[in-house]
């Protein structure tokens, strides 16, 4: 029974990874590349001691002739400098949704590897839980 539970956990992680990978691949194929300016840096503060856990950035860029200001969705250990330029890839249907170009490539690789690992993990635990192993 424990093996089936662990296998189910692996399947859930597999599904989430597949959905994330699908979104990233869509962005890579259909996304529009733009040069964005960092206009604000915010600290991500966590814990009772209010320690800085990372930084998020508000970016300004042009999308279909309109100026868009949007926050990135990931935290970074080092802040970008206000006024610096970053290459982003944004969704033409939802221009506020973007990924940094460098991070997009890395995240596609990360989620592809995660899918492979969770397939092996789930298969092992389901096989063990059903008595095949």
């Amino acid at each position: 029974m424990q093996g089936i539970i662990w296998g189910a956990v692996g399947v859930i992680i597999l599904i989430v990874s597949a959905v994330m990978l699908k979104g990233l691949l869509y962005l890579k194929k259909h996304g529009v590349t733009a040069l964005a300016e960092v206009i604000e840096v915010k600290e991500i503060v966590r814990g009772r001691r209010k320690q800085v856990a990372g930084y998020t950035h508000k970016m300004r860029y042009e999308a279909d002739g309109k100026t868009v200001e949007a926050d990135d969705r990931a935290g970074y250990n080092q802040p970008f400098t206000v006024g610096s330029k970053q290459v982003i890839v944004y969704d033409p249907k939802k221009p506020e949704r973007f990924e940094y170009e460098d991070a997009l490539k890395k995240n596609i690789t990360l989620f592809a590897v995660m899918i492979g690992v969770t397939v092996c993990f789930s298969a092992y635990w389901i096989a063990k839980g059903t008595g095949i192993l």
Side-chain angles (χ1 to χ4, degrees):
M1 182 66 177
Q2 182 181 7
I4 293 175
I5 292 170
W6 281 111
V9 168
V11 169
I12 292 168
I13 294 169
L14 174 68
I15 291 168
V16 170
S17 298
V19 169
M20 293 296 293
L21 181 60
K22 180 181 175 191
L24 292 171
L25 290 172
Y26 172 84
L27 200 56
K28 182 171 174 63
K29 184 174 182 179
H30 300 288
V32 178
T33 303
L35 190 60
E37 179 184 2
V38 179
I39 59 172
E40 185 180 346
V41 177
K42 298 177 194 170
E43 293 180 342
I44 301 169
V45 180
R46 294 205 174 110
R48 283 198 259 169
R49 294 185 182 189
K50 305 289 184 196
Q51 292 182 331
V52 176
Y55 301 90
T56 61
H57 308 88
K58 181 173 282 214
M59 308 298 286
R60 179 183 298 140
Y61 51 95
E62 295 290 321
D64 293 328
K66 298 178 185 175
T67 301
V68 176
E69 291 184 5
D71 293 328
D72 59 17
R73 299 180 297 153
Y76 288 85
N77 292 333
Q78 298 292 322
F80 297 136
T81 306
V82 173
S84 66
K85 306 283 186 188
Q86 301 292 325
V87 178
I88 62 164
V89 179
Y90 68 86
D91 185 344
K93 293 179 183 175
K94 299 176 192 169
E96 340 37 75
R97 182 178 174 265
F98 72 91
E99 293 282 339
Y100 297 104
E101 186 179 48
D102 293 342
L104 180 62
K105 294 173 186 174
K106 291 175 189 173
N107 290 340
I108 287 171
T109 303
L110 173 74
F111 283 107
V113 168
M114 190 178 291
I115 287 171
V117 169
T118 55
V119 164
C120 295
F121 178 88
S122 297
Y124 170 79
W125 282 107
I126 290 171
K128 187 168 180 151
T130 57
I132 295 172
L133 289 180

mmCIF file of all heavy atoms in Angstrom, residues 42-88:
data_model
loop_
_atom_site.group_PDB
_atom_site.id
_atom_site.type_symbol
_atom_site.label_atom_id
_atom_site.label_comp_id
_atom_site.label_asym_id
_atom_site.label_seq_id
_atom_site.Cartn_x
_atom_site.Cartn_y
_atom_site.Cartn_z
ATOM 1 N N LYS A 42 11.945 44.316 -5.656
ATOM 2 C CA LYS A 42 11.287 44.097 -4.359
ATOM 3 C C LYS A 42 11.959 42.932 -3.650
ATOM 4 O O LYS A 42 12.313 41.939 -4.278
ATOM 5 C CB LYS A 42 9.806 43.753 -4.549
ATOM 6 C CG LYS A 42 8.996 44.828 -5.201
ATOM 7 C CD LYS A 42 7.569 44.352 -5.408
ATOM 8 C CE LYS A 42 6.834 45.277 -6.349
ATOM 9 N NZ LYS A 42 5.543 44.735 -6.745
ATOM 10 N N GLU A 43 12.098 43.055 -2.351
ATOM 11 C CA GLU A 43 12.653 41.966 -1.547
ATOM 12 C C GLU A 43 11.544 40.992 -1.176
ATOM 13 O O GLU A 43 10.439 41.413 -0.852
ATOM 14 C CB GLU A 43 13.284 42.501 -0.261
ATOM 15 C CG GLU A 43 14.507 43.343 -0.489
ATOM 16 C CD GLU A 43 15.109 43.854 0.819
ATOM 17 O OE1 GLU A 43 14.408 43.854 1.858
ATOM 18 O OE2 GLU A 43 16.282 44.248 0.787
ATOM 19 N N ILE A 44 11.849 39.705 -1.210
ATOM 20 C CA ILE A 44 10.943 38.680 -0.705
ATOM 21 C C ILE A 44 11.416 38.393 0.715
ATOM 22 O O ILE A 44 12.527 37.927 0.918
ATOM 23 C CB ILE A 44 11.006 37.394 -1.551
ATOM 24 C CG1 ILE A 44 10.648 37.682 -3.006
ATOM 25 C CG2 ILE A 44 10.082 36.329 -0.962
ATOM 26 C CD1 ILE A 44 10.940 36.511 -3.929
ATOM 27 N N VAL A 45 10.580 38.734 1.697
ATOM 28 C CA VAL A 45 10.959 38.589 3.101
ATOM 29 C C VAL A 45 10.148 37.454 3.703
ATOM 30 O O VAL A 45 8.935 37.370 3.520
ATOM 31 C CB VAL A 45 10.693 39.907 3.866
ATOM 32 C CG1 VAL A 45 11.085 39.780 5.320
ATOM 33 C CG2 VAL A 45 11.448 41.050 3.210
ATOM 34 N N ARG A 46 10.845 36.563 4.432
ATOM 35 C CA ARG A 46 10.174 35.409 5.046
ATOM 36 C C ARG A 46 10.663 35.211 6.468
ATOM 37 O O ARG A 46 11.766 35.611 6.833
ATOM 38 C CB ARG A 46 10.455 34.150 4.240
ATOM 39 C CG ARG A 46 9.840 34.206 2.868
ATOM 40 C CD ARG A 46 9.591 32.827 2.309
ATOM 41 N NE ARG A 46 8.883 32.939 1.060
ATOM 42 C CZ ARG A 46 9.398 32.670 -0.122
ATOM 43 N NH1 ARG A 46 10.617 32.239 -0.228
ATOM 44 N NH2 ARG A 46 8.671 32.802 -1.212
ATOM 45 N N GLY A 47 9.839 34.531 7.236
ATOM 46 C CA GLY A 47 10.233 34.133 8.580
ATOM 47 C C GLY A 47 10.011 35.216 9.618
ATOM 48 O O GLY A 47 9.709 36.362 9.313
ATOM 49 N N ARG A 48 10.148 34.812 10.854
ATOM 50 C CA ARG A 48 9.970 35.759 11.963
ATOM 51 C C ARG A 48 11.056 36.822 11.995
ATOM 52 O O ARG A 48 10.832 37.927 12.442
ATOM 53 C CB ARG A 48 9.962 35.004 13.291
ATOM 54 C CG ARG A 48 8.653 34.300 13.543
ATOM 55 C CD ARG A 48 8.519 33.965 14.983
ATOM 56 N NE ARG A 48 8.831 32.554 15.179
ATOM 57 C CZ ARG A 48 9.010 31.996 16.342
ATOM 58 N NH1 ARG A 48 8.954 32.708 17.441
ATOM 59 N NH2 ARG A 48 9.267 30.711 16.436
ATOM 60 N N ARG A 49 12.232 36.439 11.557
ATOM 61 C CA ARG A 49 13.353 37.386 11.570
ATOM 62 C C ARG A 49 13.343 38.317 10.365
ATOM 63 O O ARG A 49 14.232 39.134 10.193
ATOM 64 C CB ARG A 49 14.672 36.636 11.618
ATOM 65 C CG ARG A 49 14.855 35.877 12.896
ATOM 66 C CD ARG A 49 16.210 35.268 12.933
ATOM 67 N NE ARG A 49 16.382 34.495 14.151
ATOM 68 C CZ ARG A 49 17.511 33.995 14.534
ATOM 69 N NH1 ARG A 49 18.592 34.159 13.795
ATOM 70 N NH2 ARG A 49 17.601 33.310 15.649
ATOM 71 N N LYS A 50 12.358 38.148 9.500
ATOM 72 C CA LYS A 50 12.215 38.992 8.311
ATOM 73 C C LYS A 50 13.481 38.988 7.448
ATOM 74 O O LYS A 50 13.979 40.012 7.027
ATOM 75 C CB LYS A 50 11.853 40.432 8.698
ATOM 76 C CG LYS A 50 10.638 40.568 9.558
ATOM 77 C CD LYS A 50 9.398 40.254 8.779
ATOM 78 C CE LYS A 50 8.173 40.499 9.669
ATOM 79 N NZ LYS A 50 6.985 39.903 9.166
ATOM 80 N N GLN A 51 13.982 37.771 7.200
ATOM 81 C CA GLN A 51 15.175 37.628 6.375
ATOM 82 C C GLN A 51 14.798 37.692 4.895
ATOM 83 O O GLN A 51 13.764 37.188 4.480
ATOM 84 C CB GLN A 51 15.877 36.316 6.668
ATOM 85 C CG GLN A 51 16.493 36.269 8.044
ATOM 86 C CD GLN A 51 17.227 34.965 8.300
ATOM 87 O OE1 GLN A 51 16.872 33.944 7.749
ATOM 88 N NE2 GLN A 51 18.242 35.028 9.140
ATOM 89 N N VAL A 52 15.682 38.291 4.118
ATOM 90 C CA VAL A 52 15.455 38.402 2.685
ATOM 91 C C VAL A 52 15.706 37.037 2.056
ATOM 92 O O VAL A 52 16.787 36.473 2.168
ATOM 93 C CB VAL A 52 16.383 39.469 2.052
ATOM 94 C CG1 VAL A 52 16.203 39.506 0.545
ATOM 95 C CG2 VAL A 52 16.103 40.836 2.650
ATOM 96 N N ALA A 53 14.673 36.496 1.395
ATOM 97 C CA ALA A 53 14.763 35.178 0.778
ATOM 98 C C ALA A 53 15.023 35.273 -0.725
ATOM 99 O O ALA A 53 15.285 34.268 -1.372
ATOM 100 C CB ALA A 53 13.483 34.395 1.035
ATOM 101 N N GLY A 54 14.924 36.461 -1.281
ATOM 102 C CA GLY A 54 15.147 36.636 -2.712
ATOM 103 C C GLY A 54 14.607 37.975 -3.167
ATOM 104 O O GLY A 54 14.226 38.825 -2.352
ATOM 105 N N TYR A 55 14.579 38.148 -4.483
ATOM 106 C CA TYR A 55 14.145 39.409 -5.060
ATOM 107 C C TYR A 55 13.236 39.142 -6.258
ATOM 108 O O TYR A 55 13.448 38.194 -7.002
ATOM 109 C CB TYR A 55 15.353 40.227 -5.536
ATOM 110 C CG TYR A 55 16.324 40.543 -4.429
ATOM 111 C CD1 TYR A 55 17.376 39.679 -4.137
ATOM 112 C CD2 TYR A 55 16.183 41.694 -3.676
ATOM 113 C CE1 TYR A 55 18.263 39.966 -3.115
ATOM 114 C CE2 TYR A 55 17.067 41.985 -2.647
ATOM 115 C CZ TYR A 55 18.103 41.114 -2.370
ATOM 116 O OH TYR A 55 18.974 41.390 -1.355
ATOM 117 N N THR A 56 12.234 39.989 -6.421
ATOM 118 C CA THR A 56 11.423 39.980 -7.637
ATOM 119 C C THR A 56 11.599 41.334 -8.313
ATOM 120 O O THR A 56 12.015 42.306 -7.684
ATOM 121 C CB THR A 56 9.929 39.728 -7.356
ATOM 122 O OG1 THR A 56 9.422 40.759 -6.523
ATOM 123 C CG2 THR A 56 9.710 38.368 -6.720
ATOM 124 N N HIS A 57 11.257 41.372 -9.579
ATOM 125 C CA HIS A 57 11.508 42.567 -10.373
ATOM 126 C C HIS A 57 10.263 42.969 -11.148
ATOM 127 O O HIS A 57 9.562 42.106 -11.674
ATOM 128 C CB HIS A 57 12.642 42.313 -11.367
ATOM 129 C CG HIS A 57 13.861 41.767 -10.711
ATOM 130 N ND1 HIS A 57 14.054 40.413 -10.530
ATOM 131 C CD2 HIS A 57 14.924 42.383 -10.160
ATOM 132 C CE1 HIS A 57 15.201 40.231 -9.902
ATOM 133 N NE2 HIS A 57 15.748 41.411 -9.665
ATOM 134 N N LYS A 58 10.021 44.264 -11.223
ATOM 135 C CA LYS A 58 8.980 44.787 -12.100
ATOM 136 C C LYS A 58 9.684 45.222 -13.380
ATOM 137 O O LYS A 58 10.676 45.954 -13.333
ATOM 138 C CB LYS A 58 8.248 45.965 -11.472
ATOM 139 C CG LYS A 58 7.143 46.504 -12.375
ATOM 140 C CD LYS A 58 6.306 47.541 -11.690
ATOM 141 C CE LYS A 58 5.379 46.792 -10.787
ATOM 142 N NZ LYS A 58 4.078 47.357 -10.627
ATOM 143 N N MET A 59 9.182 44.732 -14.495
ATOM 144 C CA MET A 59 9.797 44.990 -15.791
ATOM 145 C C MET A 59 8.868 45.846 -16.653
ATOM 146 O O MET A 59 7.647 45.723 -16.555
ATOM 147 C CB MET A 59 10.071 43.669 -16.517
ATOM 148 C CG MET A 59 10.844 42.634 -15.696
ATOM 149 S SD MET A 59 12.475 43.150 -15.225
ATOM 150 C CE MET A 59 13.326 42.991 -16.776
ATOM 151 N N ARG A 60 9.463 46.677 -17.506
ATOM 152 C CA ARG A 60 8.695 47.482 -18.463
ATOM 153 C C ARG A 60 9.196 47.132 -19.861
ATOM 154 O O ARG A 60 10.405 47.117 -20.115
ATOM 155 C CB ARG A 60 8.912 48.964 -18.207
ATOM 156 C CG ARG A 60 8.142 49.837 -19.209
ATOM 157 C CD ARG A 60 8.411 51.315 -19.022
ATOM 158 N NE ARG A 60 7.973 51.744 -17.720
ATOM 159 C CZ ARG A 60 8.642 52.605 -16.951
ATOM 160 N NH1 ARG A 60 9.795 53.116 -17.363
ATOM 161 N NH2 ARG A 60 8.185 52.963 -15.782
ATOM 162 N N TYR A 61 8.235 46.848 -20.754
ATOM 163 C CA TYR A 61 8.592 46.494 -22.132
ATOM 164 C C TYR A 61 7.433 46.799 -23.055
ATOM 165 O O TYR A 61 6.307 47.050 -22.610
ATOM 166 C CB TYR A 61 9.002 45.015 -22.238
ATOM 167 C CG TYR A 61 8.011 44.042 -21.635
ATOM 168 C CD1 TYR A 61 7.046 43.415 -22.422
ATOM 169 C CD2 TYR A 61 8.039 43.748 -20.284
ATOM 170 C CE1 TYR A 61 6.142 42.526 -21.872
ATOM 171 C CE2 TYR A 61 7.134 42.855 -19.724
ATOM 172 C CZ TYR A 61 6.192 42.249 -20.517
ATOM 173 O OH TYR A 61 5.295 41.361 -19.966
ATOM 174 N N GLU A 62 7.721 46.807 -24.337
ATOM 175 C CA GLU A 62 6.714 47.064 -25.365
ATOM 176 C C GLU A 62 6.158 45.749 -25.886
ATOM 177 O O GLU A 62 6.925 44.842 -26.211
ATOM 178 C CB GLU A 62 7.320 47.851 -26.532
ATOM 179 C CG GLU A 62 7.772 49.241 -26.188
ATOM 180 C CD GLU A 62 6.629 50.196 -25.905
ATOM 181 O OE1 GLU A 62 5.593 50.118 -26.609
ATOM 182 O OE2 GLU A 62 6.767 51.007 -24.966
ATOM 183 N N ALA A 63 4.835 45.664 -25.955
ATOM 184 C CA ALA A 63 4.157 44.485 -26.509
ATOM 185 C C ALA A 63 3.030 44.964 -27.406
ATOM 186 O O ALA A 63 2.086 45.595 -26.920
ATOM 187 C CB ALA A 63 3.623 43.601 -25.390
ATOM 188 N N ASP A 64 3.134 44.698 -28.677
ATOM 189 C CA ASP A 64 2.130 45.127 -29.660
ATOM 190 C C ASP A 64 1.862 46.624 -29.585
ATOM 191 O O ASP A 64 0.710 47.070 -29.626
ATOM 192 C CB ASP A 64 0.822 44.344 -29.482
ATOM 193 C CG ASP A 64 0.957 42.879 -29.823
ATOM 194 O OD1 ASP A 64 1.765 42.567 -30.714
ATOM 195 O OD2 ASP A 64 0.266 42.051 -29.207
ATOM 196 N N GLY A 65 2.908 47.414 -29.437
ATOM 197 C CA GLY A 65 2.771 48.865 -29.416
ATOM 198 C C GLY A 65 2.306 49.439 -28.089
ATOM 199 O O GLY A 65 2.140 50.646 -27.965
ATOM 200 N N LYS A 66 2.087 48.593 -27.095
ATOM 201 C CA LYS A 66 1.647 49.056 -25.779
ATOM 202 C C LYS A 66 2.766 48.839 -24.771
ATOM 203 O O LYS A 66 3.491 47.857 -24.844
ATOM 204 C CB LYS A 66 0.407 48.291 -25.314
ATOM 205 C CG LYS A 66 -0.799 48.480 -26.200
ATOM 206 C CD LYS A 66 -1.958 47.654 -25.702
ATOM 207 C CE LYS A 66 -3.132 47.758 -26.667
ATOM 208 N NZ LYS A 66 -4.226 46.882 -26.284
ATOM 209 N N THR A 67 2.861 49.750 -23.815
ATOM 210 C CA THR A 67 3.832 49.587 -22.747
ATOM 211 C C THR A 67 3.235 48.703 -21.668
ATOM 212 O O THR A 67 2.130 48.953 -21.188
ATOM 213 C CB THR A 67 4.214 50.954 -22.150
ATOM 214 O OG1 THR A 67 4.767 51.758 -23.196
ATOM 215 C CG2 THR A 67 5.240 50.798 -21.042
ATOM 216 N N VAL A 68 3.957 47.651 -21.317
ATOM 217 C CA VAL A 68 3.500 46.699 -20.300
ATOM 218 C C VAL A 68 4.458 46.777 -19.117
ATOM 219 O O VAL A 68 5.672 46.822 -19.297
ATOM 220 C CB VAL A 68 3.488 45.255 -20.863
ATOM 221 C CG1 VAL A 68 3.100 44.248 -19.792
ATOM 222 C CG2 VAL A 68 2.567 45.161 -22.060
ATOM 223 N N GLU A 69 3.890 46.813 -17.920
ATOM 224 C CA GLU A 69 4.669 46.705 -16.699
ATOM 225 C C GLU A 69 4.176 45.471 -15.967
ATOM 226 O O GLU A 69 2.998 45.380 -15.640
ATOM 227 C CB GLU A 69 4.515 47.947 -15.824
ATOM 228 C CG GLU A 69 5.159 49.172 -16.429
ATOM 229 C CD GLU A 69 5.088 50.390 -15.531
ATOM 230 O OE1 GLU A 69 4.611 50.275 -14.381
ATOM 231 O OE2 GLU A 69 5.507 51.459 -15.992
ATOM 232 N N ALA A 70 5.085 44.530 -15.743
ATOM 233 C CA ALA A 70 4.690 43.264 -15.121
ATOM 234 C C ALA A 70 5.796 42.773 -14.193
ATOM 235 O O ALA A 70 6.980 43.042 -14.431
ATOM 236 C CB ALA A 70 4.397 42.216 -16.192
ATOM 237 N N ASP A 71 5.390 42.056 -13.155
ATOM 238 C CA ASP A 71 6.338 41.457 -12.220
ATOM 239 C C ASP A 71 6.748 40.084 -12.698
ATOM 240 O O ASP A 71 5.922 39.339 -13.248
ATOM 241 C CB ASP A 71 5.711 41.314 -10.830
ATOM 242 C CG ASP A 71 5.448 42.656 -10.171
ATOM 243 O OD1 ASP A 71 6.224 43.599 -10.418
ATOM 244 O OD2 ASP A 71 4.476 42.755 -9.406
ATOM 245 N N ASP A 72 8.020 39.728 -12.464
ATOM 246 C CA ASP A 72 8.421 38.357 -12.756
ATOM 247 C C ASP A 72 7.818 37.440 -11.691
ATOM 248 O O ASP A 72 7.419 37.890 -10.623
ATOM 249 C CB ASP A 72 9.940 38.200 -12.869
ATOM 250 C CG ASP A 72 10.704 38.607 -11.629
ATOM 251 O OD1 ASP A 72 10.110 38.722 -10.553
ATOM 252 O OD2 ASP A 72 11.922 38.807 -11.736
ATOM 253 N N ARG A 73 7.711 36.161 -12.017
ATOM 254 C CA ARG A 73 7.027 35.211 -11.131
ATOM 255 C C ARG A 73 7.990 34.363 -10.325
ATOM 256 O O ARG A 73 7.572 33.479 -9.596
ATOM 257 C CB ARG A 73 6.114 34.300 -11.960
ATOM 258 C CG ARG A 73 5.043 35.079 -12.702
ATOM 259 C CD ARG A 73 4.149 34.205 -13.527
ATOM 260 N NE ARG A 73 4.926 33.545 -14.574
ATOM 261 C CZ ARG A 73 4.606 32.395 -15.118
ATOM 262 N NH1 ARG A 73 3.527 31.769 -14.747
ATOM 263 N NH2 ARG A 73 5.352 31.863 -16.059
ATOM 264 N N ALA A 74 9.271 34.631 -10.452
ATOM 265 C CA ALA A 74 10.267 33.823 -9.748
ATOM 266 C C ALA A 74 11.121 34.722 -8.869
ATOM 267 O O ALA A 74 11.309 35.895 -9.166
ATOM 268 C CB ALA A 74 11.145 33.084 -10.752
ATOM 269 N N GLY A 75 11.621 34.169 -7.807
ATOM 270 C CA GLY A 75 12.531 34.910 -6.952
ATOM 271 C C GLY A 75 13.973 34.633 -7.356
ATOM 272 O O GLY A 75 14.313 33.530 -7.760
ATOM 273 N N TYR A 76 14.802 35.642 -7.254
ATOM 274 C CA TYR A 76 16.208 35.513 -7.602
ATOM 275 C C TYR A 76 17.066 35.844 -6.394
ATOM 276 O O TYR A 76 16.718 36.710 -5.596
ATOM 277 C CB TYR A 76 16.558 36.444 -8.773
ATOM 278 C CG TYR A 76 15.966 35.953 -10.067
ATOM 279 C CD1 TYR A 76 14.665 36.274 -10.426
ATOM 280 C CD2 TYR A 76 16.697 35.136 -10.904
ATOM 281 C CE1 TYR A 76 14.109 35.801 -11.593
ATOM 282 C CE2 TYR A 76 16.151 34.657 -12.085
ATOM 283 C CZ TYR A 76 14.860 34.996 -12.424
ATOM 284 O OH TYR A 76 14.308 34.515 -13.571
ATOM 285 N N ASN A 77 18.206 35.170 -6.259
ATOM 286 C CA ASN A 77 19.100 35.401 -5.129
ATOM 287 C C ASN A 77 19.787 36.757 -5.206
ATOM 288 O O ASN A 77 20.072 37.358 -4.179
ATOM 289 C CB ASN A 77 20.175 34.310 -5.059
ATOM 290 C CG ASN A 77 19.583 32.974 -4.705
ATOM 291 O OD1 ASN A 77 18.554 32.897 -4.053
ATOM 292 N ND2 ASN A 77 20.228 31.920 -5.146
ATOM 293 N N GLN A 78 20.075 37.208 -6.402
ATOM 294 C CA GLN A 78 20.719 38.497 -6.602
ATOM 295 C C GLN A 78 19.768 39.402 -7.376
ATOM 296 O O GLN A 78 19.202 38.979 -8.384
ATOM 297 C CB GLN A 78 22.022 38.336 -7.402
ATOM 298 C CG GLN A 78 23.069 37.487 -6.705
ATOM 299 C CD GLN A 78 23.606 38.174 -5.464
ATOM 300 O OE1 GLN A 78 23.801 39.368 -5.431
ATOM 301 N NE2 GLN A 78 23.830 37.397 -4.420
ATOM 302 N N PRO A 79 19.610 40.647 -6.914
ATOM 303 C CA PRO A 79 18.700 41.539 -7.647
ATOM 304 C C PRO A 79 19.353 42.077 -8.912
ATOM 305 O O PRO A 79 20.576 42.248 -8.971
ATOM 306 C CB PRO A 79 18.462 42.671 -6.650
ATOM 307 C CG PRO A 79 19.702 42.713 -5.820
ATOM 308 C CD PRO A 79 20.158 41.285 -5.715
ATOM 309 N N PHE A 80 18.535 42.317 -9.924
ATOM 310 C CA PHE A 80 19.011 43.039 -11.095
ATOM 311 C C PHE A 80 19.079 44.516 -10.705
ATOM 312 O O PHE A 80 18.352 44.971 -9.826
ATOM 313 C CB PHE A 80 18.051 42.881 -12.278
ATOM 314 C CG PHE A 80 17.909 41.474 -12.778
ATOM 315 C CD1 PHE A 80 16.664 40.959 -13.088
ATOM 316 C CD2 PHE A 80 19.009 40.657 -12.963
ATOM 317 C CE1 PHE A 80 16.516 39.667 -13.567
ATOM 318 C CE2 PHE A 80 18.880 39.363 -13.441
ATOM 319 C CZ PHE A 80 17.620 38.868 -13.738
ATOM 320 N N THR A 81 19.898 45.265 -11.374
ATOM 321 C CA THR A 81 20.012 46.697 -11.115
ATOM 322 C C THR A 81 18.847 47.428 -11.775
ATOM 323 O O THR A 81 18.510 47.137 -12.930
ATOM 324 C CB THR A 81 21.342 47.231 -11.691
ATOM 325 O OG1 THR A 81 22.411 46.442 -11.173
ATOM 326 C CG2 THR A 81 21.563 48.687 -11.340
ATOM 327 N N VAL A 82 18.242 48.357 -11.042
ATOM 328 C CA VAL A 82 17.175 49.168 -11.622
ATOM 329 C C VAL A 82 17.763 49.932 -12.812
ATOM 330 O O VAL A 82 18.838 50.515 -12.720
ATOM 331 C CB VAL A 82 16.580 50.139 -10.578
ATOM 332 C CG1 VAL A 82 15.600 51.105 -11.234
ATOM 333 C CG2 VAL A 82 15.903 49.368 -9.468
ATOM 334 N N GLY A 83 17.062 49.879 -13.931
ATOM 335 C CA GLY A 83 17.528 50.514 -15.155
ATOM 336 C C GLY A 83 18.243 49.567 -16.099
ATOM 337 O O GLY A 83 18.448 49.904 -17.270
ATOM 338 N N SER A 84 18.616 48.385 -15.612
ATOM 339 C CA SER A 84 19.294 47.425 -16.490
ATOM 340 C C SER A 84 18.286 46.801 -17.451
ATOM 341 O O SER A 84 17.080 46.844 -17.226
ATOM 342 C CB SER A 84 20.006 46.345 -15.677
ATOM 343 O OG SER A 84 19.075 45.535 -14.990
ATOM 344 N N LYS A 85 18.786 46.230 -18.504
ATOM 345 C CA LYS A 85 17.940 45.609 -19.539
ATOM 346 C C LYS A 85 18.092 44.093 -19.469
ATOM 347 O O LYS A 85 19.195 43.584 -19.258
ATOM 348 C CB LYS A 85 18.347 46.090 -20.926
ATOM 349 C CG LYS A 85 18.386 47.587 -21.090
ATOM 350 C CD LYS A 85 17.025 48.166 -21.232
ATOM 351 C CE LYS A 85 17.167 49.659 -21.535
ATOM 352 N NZ LYS A 85 15.930 50.352 -21.525
ATOM 353 N N GLN A 86 16.986 43.401 -19.669
ATOM 354 C CA GLN A 86 16.962 41.944 -19.686
ATOM 355 C C GLN A 86 16.156 41.488 -20.902
ATOM 356 O O GLN A 86 15.129 42.087 -21.233
ATOM 357 C CB GLN A 86 16.295 41.391 -18.418
ATOM 358 C CG GLN A 86 16.967 41.791 -17.136
ATOM 359 C CD GLN A 86 18.334 41.170 -16.980
ATOM 360 O OE1 GLN A 86 18.564 40.048 -17.391
ATOM 361 N NE2 GLN A 86 19.251 41.923 -16.392
ATOM 362 N N VAL A 87 16.614 40.418 -21.538
ATOM 363 C CA VAL A 87 15.873 39.850 -22.667
ATOM 364 C C VAL A 87 14.809 38.912 -22.098
ATOM 365 O O VAL A 87 15.107 38.032 -21.296
ATOM 366 C CB VAL A 87 16.803 39.084 -23.628
ATOM 367 C CG1 VAL A 87 16.013 38.471 -24.769
ATOM 368 C CG2 VAL A 87 17.889 40.017 -24.160
ATOM 369 N N ILE A 88 13.563 39.146 -22.498
ATOM 370 C CA ILE A 88 12.451 38.328 -22.031
ATOM 371 C C ILE A 88 11.715 37.730 -23.226
ATOM 372 O O ILE A 88 11.879 38.175 -24.362
ATOM 373 C CB ILE A 88 11.454 39.148 -21.173
ATOM 374 C CG1 ILE A 88 10.828 40.272 -22.002
ATOM 375 C CG2 ILE A 88 12.124 39.687 -19.915
ATOM 376 C CD1 ILE A 88 9.587 40.870 -21.394
#
